[in-house]
Amino acid sequence: EVQLVESGGGLAQPGGSLTLSCAASGFPFSDYGMTWVRQAPGKGLERVASIGNRGTTAYVDSVEGRFTISRDNAKNTLYLQMNSLKTEDTAVYYCARGWSGKRLGGPVSLTDYTAWGPGTQVTVSS
């Protein structure tokens, strides 16, 4: 059974940092690109960062230079290092199976990716 489980969310102050993890199981993790998607309160899904199976990365403009996506294929784990957090980063963050390409803008459909985790809440507030 394919499973993705996020962890590492929580409360952070503006300017602070958090690192999210996504533990993958039930499929050959190293063969797949992966993407972080978030949903802010009252808004739609937004792609945040994506990494190909060979390590190519892409970011939405709003997080470029602040967030870093990475993967550890030996541990079947995806990461999102988030620095210089802003209140507008408050959202539920999901990891999803699939490479999003180099351009992350545009609408997101649940069918864009072949597996989703349940999400982890990130709240940025003073």
Side-chain angles (χ1 to χ4, degrees):
E1 178 187 3
V2 173
Q3 282 197 325
L4 299 172
V5 180
E6 304 91 343
S7 61
L11 176 64
Q13 292 190 338
S17 299
L18 282 174
T19 300
L20 305 184
S21 299
C22 172
S25 62
F27 66 99
F29 179 72
S30 61
D31 289 351
Y32 286 82
M34 299 292 295
T35 297
W36 287 99
V37 178
R38 68 185 178 186
Q39 186 167 29
K43 296 189 177 182
L45 295 169
E46 177 189 37
R47 296 180 190 86
V48 176
S50 191
I51 186 166
N53 64 330
R54 296 184 178 183
T56 302
T57 60
Y59 301 89
V60 70
D61 288 348
S62 60
V63 308
E64 183 82 56
R66 300 189 298 122
F67 290 10
T68 302
I69 188 172
S70 62
R71 64 191 300 159
D72 185 334
N73 290 337
K75 295 182 178 180
N76 289 345
T77 302
L78 176 73
Y79 301 99
L80 185 68
Q81 173 68 44
M82 305 186 295
N83 298 327
S84 302
L85 283 163
K86 303 177 180 181
T87 55
E88 51 264 42
D89 295 319
T90 294
V92 178
Y93 284 72
Y94 302 93
C95 69
R97 188 175 70 174
W99 163 244
S100 298
K102 297 292 284 185
R103 295 188 175 185
L104 301 192
V108 180
S109 168
L110 292 179
T111 57
D112 288 348
Y113 304 99
T114 52
W116 292 78
T120 186
Q121 176 71 48
V122 171
T123 302
V124 183
S125 174
S126 56

